Amino acid sequence: MKKILSLSILTLALGVSSSALAAGYQLSEYSATGLGRAFAGAGLVGDDYSAIGYNPAGMAVNEKSGMQIGATYVGIRSNVNGSDTFAMDASNPSSVATGYTRSGTASPYITRVLPEAFGQYKVNDRTTIGIGFYAPFGLATDYKNSWFGNSHALRSEILGYNISPSISYQPIDWLTVGASLNIQYASAKITNKAQTWMDGLGAIYAGNLKQANLKGDDWGVGYTVGVMVEPIKNTRLGVSYRSKITHKLEGTLDVTGTPQEDITAKITTPEMVWISGYHQLTEKLGLSATARWTKWSRFHDLNIHDASNGAAVSKTEENWESTWFYALGADYALTDELTFRVGGAYDEPAVKSSSNRTARIPDARRWWASVGASYARDNWQFDIGYSHLFVKAVEANHGAVNSSDFKAKYSSNANLVSVNIQYKF
């Protein structure tokens, strides 16, 4: 019974969403210059060394070798209003249900810093090699222990980091191809309150909720391939494909007052396609655009198993849908040293139905408004980008545990600030 009560809550944990950054639990925040134009033209503009994370063929745009380090600050605020109602014990339908409802509000505010580092070396006029470190997937949410939905979620923290050795090659003047090996580390830490039932009564005893803690990690390997063409001078078009990576998360489940258990869960980070374009309209003005497709429909269910015998412990239907992200941006070089940027984007949600939207996955459509600037002097460049995300208010309505009926309305927004320091040689 402990497995059913605790893991049926935690089963959503490995598919959680940042709820304000991108669809599902996807991240794109590994470039300050990119953030300043809402990631329009991702991988093709050539004003930093982050092409490895988007389209490795774009490394060829940079005329000099170089490196950069940076970080993105993420602040996500949500307001939650709703209730959680418990009825009879589903394992004992003949029992008398007393019913119990908790309602209220919550205002979780999450702050995280996402690091990134890139470097590349121009071997010759046609070949460039590089390596990148960045986070393409991640989330953090944190509710107070006493909030009305504590049996569905307390703390959630999931991160996936890529280490990506890369190469680009230009066989002819107008065509460049590139590839990256993505060595990905994924980790998950999840907590919530586990439901317990009053002996013989079949009704939840809300004052005696135990603490459930889940953690696990894994390494996986995938790849990115890309192509960039320059059909006419000052115009670049590019397409890249990032493969899926399957992780078998191995970890432990701790529930207060019971023995620790070893568990496993398989999760696949989805494949995606980036389509980008950049045009240098004048000597000072550049225009950019991007469309990104992510195969979130791959995440249709989540199974958790007992590590000791492989027995299925829990299965949850997710029914996510594939998504598109669209962005437009512009760069204006005020002087040889100072450049300004602006951009906007629209991001579709992976969760379209309120019955699939949960306390851990309040996924919703987002609109981006972005600005940024760069200052270059000698071999150094300093970049900053800022985005505000307007998130559509959505409802979550599901019964994830026995007869628990969770209903809530989420209103969210996010602020992102990114800084980079580049050195060129």
Side-chain angles (χ1 to χ4, degrees):
M1 177 62 73
K2 183 195 72 167
K3 287 182 182 179
I4 295 174
L5 294 178
S6 58
L7 283 179
S8 57
I9 304 169
L10 289 169
T11 190
L12 293 175
L14 301 179
V16 294
S17 162
S18 59
S19 81
L21 294 183
Y25 47 94
Q26 185 171 354
L27 298 175
S28 300
E29 290 72 24
Y30 24 96
S31 167
T33 61
L35 184 66
R37 65 176 80 88
F39 301 105
L44 300 187
V45 181
D47 52 3
D48 74 356
Y49 295 100
S50 67
I52 292 169
Y54 307 100
N55 184 344
M59 291 194 296
V61 178
N62 291 289
E63 297 181 356
K64 294 184 177 181
S65 302
M67 62 185 68
Q68 73 183 60
I69 58 172
T72 300
Y73 166 87
V74 178
I76 306 172
R77 182 180 298 279
S78 296
N79 293 307
V80 189
N81 296 276
S83 64
D84 199 10
T85 301
F86 309 91
M88 69 173 60
D89 184 350
S91 66
N92 184 16
S94 63
S95 65
V96 178
T98 62
Y100 181 82
T101 298
R102 290 181 293 168
S103 60
T105 62
S107 300
Y109 182 63
I110 308 302
T111 61
R112 288 295 184 272
V113 176
L114 304 172
E116 47 90 356
F118 297 95
Q120 63 183 65
Y121 176 73
K122 209 164 188 65
V123 178
N124 54 48
D125 290 342
R126 295 193 178 274
T127 305
T128 302
I129 57 174
I131 190 167
F133 170 78
Y134 59 98
F137 297 99
L139 120 101
T141 59
D142 198 355
Y143 297 92
K144 293 182 179 179
N145 284 349
S146 60
W147 87 290
F148 68 87
N150 60 11
S151 65
H152 295 269
L154 284 178
R155 183 183 178 188
S156 309
E157 187 157 8
I158 293 183
L159 277 175
Y161 284 107
N162 277 9
I163 301 173
S164 300
S166 307
I167 186 170
S168 71
Y169 178 67
Q170 190 175 25
I172 52 180
D173 290 344
W174 56 270
L175 173 66
T176 305
V177 295
S180 298
L181 182 67
N182 300 323
I183 304 166
Q184 189 174 98
Y185 173 74
S187 65
K189 296 179 182 179
I190 307 296
T191 67
N192 61 260
K193 295 292 185 180
Q195 293 186 17
T196 58
W197 296 87
M198 294 176 63
D199 293 339
L201 297 181
I204 190 167
Y205 179 44
N208 188 29
L209 297 184
K210 296 181 178 181
Q211 182 85 11
N213 306 290
L214 174 92
K215 61 180 180 179
D217 60 3
D218 185 50
W219 287 87
V221 178
Y223 63 89
T224 301
V225 292
V227 61
M228 180 181 69
V229 298
E230 191 170 3
I232 58 176
K233 187 177 181 180
N234 296 325
T235 299
R236 296 187 286 273
L237 302 172
V239 178
S240 67
Y241 170 83
R242 183 188 294 169
S243 74
K244 66 179 182 179
I245 299 179
T246 299
H247 291 281
K248 183 180 180 181
L249 294 178
E250 298 181 348
T252 57
L253 172 66
D254 299 292
V255 178
T256 307
T258 61
Q260 184 183 83
E261 295 182 30
D262 294 328
I263 59 172
T264 64
K266 184 179 290 186
I267 184 170
T268 299
T269 56
E271 51 268 79
M272 66 184 68
V273 176
W274 290 83
I275 305 170
S276 295
Y278 176 78
H279 177 64
Q280 189 72 38
L281 186 63
T282 69
E283 184 178 345
K284 292 182 175 293
L285 179 62
L287 303 177
S288 51
T290 282
R292 182 192 65 216
W293 175 81
T294 305
K295 192 177 181 180
W296 282 120
S297 59
R298 178 172 294 283
F299 189 50
H300 49 79
D301 59 34
L302 177 65
N303 302 318
I304 296 180
H305 298 271
D306 189 318
S308 63
N309 56 25
V313 174
S314 178
K315 180 178 180 178
T316 299
E317 298 293 332
E318 299 292 349
N319 298 316
W320 285 21
E321 299 182 26
S322 297
T323 63
W324 281 95
F325 167 89
Y326 307 96
L328 295 173
D331 295 64
Y332 184 78
L334 185 64
T335 67
D336 290 340
E337 297 178 334
L338 185 60
T339 300
F340 292 100
R341 300 179 183 87
V342 65
Y346 170 74
D347 199 3
E348 294 181 338
V351 181
K352 304 292 177 65
S353 169
S354 63
S355 60
N356 291 326
R357 192 175 295 116
T358 71
R360 297 194 191 275
I361 315 177
D363 200 20
R365 66 183 59 143
R366 291 154 293 274
W367 293 265
W368 296 57
S370 303
V371 294
S374 292
Y375 178 77
R377 186 74 178 267
D378 299 326
N379 292 336
W380 294 91
Q381 182 171 312
F382 303 90
D383 311 302
I384 186 169
Y386 167 78
S387 287
H388 181 80
L389 276 63
F390 303 87
V391 185
K392 178 180 172 60
V394 293
E395 293 184 352
N397 183 358
H398 66 94
V401 183
N402 294 318
S403 298
S404 168
D405 185 13
F406 178 83
K407 297 180 179 179
K409 184 174 182 179
Y410 282 80
S411 300
S412 305
N413 64 75
N415 291 290
L416 290 75
V417 179
S418 184
V419 292
N420 283 345
I421 300 176
Q422 301 183 50
Y423 180 74
K424 303 177 182 181
F425 55 88

